[in-house]
Amino acid sequence: MGWKTLDDMDLNGKTVLIRVDINVPVEDGQVTDDTRIQRIVPTVHEVLDRGGKAVLMAHFGRPKGQVVPEMSLSQIVPAVEKCLARTVHFIDGEYGARLGELEMGSVALLENLRFNPGEEKNDEGFASRLASLGDLYVNDAFSAAHRAHASTEAIARLLPSCAGRLMQAELSALETALGTPKRPVVAVVGGAKVSTKLELLSNLVEKTDHLVIGGGMANTFLAAQGIDVGKSLAEHDMTDTASEIISKAKSVGCTIHLPSDVVVAREFKAGAANETVAADACPADAMILDAGPETVANLEGVFDTSETLIWNGPLGAFEIPPFDAATNAAAAKAAELTKAGKLISVAGGGDTVAALNVSGAAEAFTYISTAGGAFLEWMEGKTLPGVAALEG
Ligand code: ADP
Ligand code: MG
């Protein structure tokens, strides 16, 4: 790993620019979930404890380079103050002068960076303006690292730079799961569509020993084998691609696991009447909404013999019970093995994290990535510009 951490930096008396992700949900001016803010606390406190001044830089929403008052970060200040247990000085417009007045040990938050068109353009000029405000740059926003923006990429080339504690934890967890994992490695990929996860599937086939395919995308793989999936969600124009993934897996020695039994229903709604049938026996007027118990038992067996698990995508339509059963059972098994010290388990993806939280299994996982797009791109084997810039 070619990037520095806070351990490598002298923070005493330094103004430290910290890129954070505090793009939290807000309703009626209230932050409804402050998880993202809580996660930046260790880095900010460490900068303060070691004698520095913390200047937080972040985006909020998609103002597209214009000042949109409803997307001002000022509304997040109370929530940041609460999580940090510190006063936060909000700095709007011309940042320089006001920042200079703040003593070491203070925390400042700059206005939404995306109010400036230079941010998303990775503009050198805007990056230099930001860089001129501080002595050091710390990137603690892994979830924004897949975008080359002025505050994630260009700035890192202008100041001494390092990863913050959250970025460090995320990169280390991903490295453990996919970079240099303990084998055998099992990947579970579910969710709605093959088309959104093609690159993910091809990369995982190369790097894992077992690939469990579930959710709507498994229907496309079943269809590729000539199986009639009735009214199931399936991408019939992707069946050739699915077949290619299966043959690639064969040639590199990755075992693909498709559902052997499925839960079908005639309506897409909670509590819909349902039955379990063999994977090749979906009635013409029904749709597959979950994996069946035999499939789950097979998957549990694979988990039992694996050292590392990577998971993205629910195994069924988990939002509408009882079609959350396979996802919950797999999550419980992964949690149990992790607690027993027999499995390293890493999961990510918006719906996946929601499903694991609801199932109650999330806490037992080795690492849950909340990074969304950046997590997926990392899993796809892509270089993230925000991480690469720290290595440069
Ligand atoms: P993530 O956000 O974790 O990357 P996705 O967005 O790819 O996951 O997939 C989640 C969605 O897939 C959920 O809305 C879920 O209802 C849907 N899904 C899973 N299995 C099925 C299925 N068999 N039929 C229809 N939708 C499904
Ligand atoms: Mg999703």
Side-chain angles (χ1 to χ4, degrees):
M1 288 178 234
W3 32 269
K4 295 193 167 101
T5 70
L6 287 173
D7 295 328
D8 304 300
M9 310 309 251
D10 176 11
L11 305 172
N12 193 20
K14 300 283 167 42
T15 298
V16 184
L17 303 175
I18 312 175
R19 177 59 160 99
V20 292
D21 181 359
I22 49 174
N23 194 18
V24 289
V26 172
E27 272 167 40
D28 302 325
Q30 294 290 317
V31 173
T32 53
D33 178 358
D34 66 3
T35 310
R36 282 185 159 159
I37 306 177
Q38 285 172 23
R39 292 185 136 211
I40 66 164
V41 171
T43 295
V44 179
H45 279 177
E46 183 167 348
V47 167
L48 303 178
D49 293 346
R50 289 172 54 189
K53 185 196 300 190
V55 180
L56 310 183
M57 308 187 292
H59 72 277
F60 186 60
R62 297 177 186 273
K64 301 200 170 130
Q66 286 173 12
V67 177
V68 179
E70 305 81 72
M71 294 183 198
S72 172
L73 271 170
S74 58
Q75 60 196 310
I76 311 294
V77 169
V80 181
E81 291 189 318
K82 183 162 163 257
C83 289
L84 288 174
R86 295 284 202 295
T87 301
V88 172
H89 303 270
F90 183 69
I91 314 261
D92 189 2
E94 283 308 311
Y95 318 118
R98 288 214 31 223
L99 274 179
E101 290 163 12
L102 299 177
E103 291 169 9
M104 289 298 146
S106 318
V107 183
L109 169 64
L110 304 188
E111 178 58 290
N112 192 345
L113 296 176
R114 290 190 186 168
F115 282 1
N116 191 303
E119 165 63 0
E120 291 181 82
K121 290 188 183 129
N122 199 20
D123 179 68
E124 289 286 334
F126 184 53
S128 322
R129 251 184 76 199
L130 293 174
S132 71
L133 304 174
D135 306 305
L136 302 172
Y137 169 72
V138 176
N139 191 346
D140 215 18
F142 176 80
S143 48
H146 58 315
R147 313 244 187 255
H149 291 172
S151 69
T152 62
E153 207 276 341
I155 190 172
R157 292 185 269 110
L158 301 172
L159 285 176
S161 302
C162 75
R165 295 303 183 198
L166 176 57
M167 170 79 97
Q168 182 186 350
E170 187 101 28
L171 289 172
S172 309
L174 296 183
E175 188 63 23
T176 310
L178 203 55
T180 47
K182 270 171 91 180
R183 291 188 175 274
V185 183
V186 52
V188 173
V189 181
K193 292 179 170 180
V194 174
S195 52
T196 57
K197 296 193 177 171
L198 260 186
E199 290 174 275
L200 177 68
L201 291 167
S202 356
N203 189 42
L204 291 178
V205 156
E206 281 178 24
K207 302 212 170 122
T208 65
D209 305 290
H210 296 275
L211 177 58
V212 174
I213 297 178
M217 75 163 65
N219 303 338
T220 303
F221 279 84
L222 293 174
Q225 300 185 329
I227 292 171
D228 185 353
V229 294
K231 292 210 159 68
S232 303
L233 171 71
E235 294 168 285
H236 293 282
D237 56 340
M238 294 298 289
T239 51
D240 286 350
T241 309
S243 302
E244 281 163 27
I245 291 171
I246 289 177
S247 47
K248 182 175 173 188
K250 280 206 182 97
S251 68
V252 297
C254 169
T255 309
I256 292 208
H257 302 263
L258 287 175
S260 58
D261 62 342
V262 291
V263 181
V264 302
R266 265 103 188 152
E267 288 173 289
F268 190 92
K269 74 168 208 226
N274 61 82
E275 57 188 311
T276 301
V277 298
D280 60 1
C282 176
D285 62 344
M287 59 196 148
I288 300 171
L289 291 181
D290 200 11
E294 184 184 283
T295 304
V296 171
N298 169 60
L299 181 150
E300 290 178 342
V302 177
F303 284 11
D304 273 325
T305 58
S306 296
E307 296 287 335
T308 304
L309 163 68
I310 304 159
W311 187 345
N312 169 258
L315 295 172
F318 75 98
E319 302 95 333
I320 47 168
F323 308 105
D324 55 351
T327 302
N328 288 343
K333 179 71 180 181
E336 176 199 317
L337 290 169
T338 307
K339 274 194 244 166
K342 294 179 181 156
L343 188 71
I344 292 165
S345 50
V346 175
D351 292 295
T352 310
V353 175
L356 294 180
N357 280 335
V358 172
S359 80
E363 286 195 4
F365 271 60
T366 313
Y367 196 77
I368 299 275
S369 171
T370 51
F375 170 79
L376 274 181
E377 289 198 20
W378 199 94
M379 298 263 283
E380 287 167 356
K382 293 189 181 144
T383 301
L384 307 186
V387 177
L390 292 179
E391 289 170 346

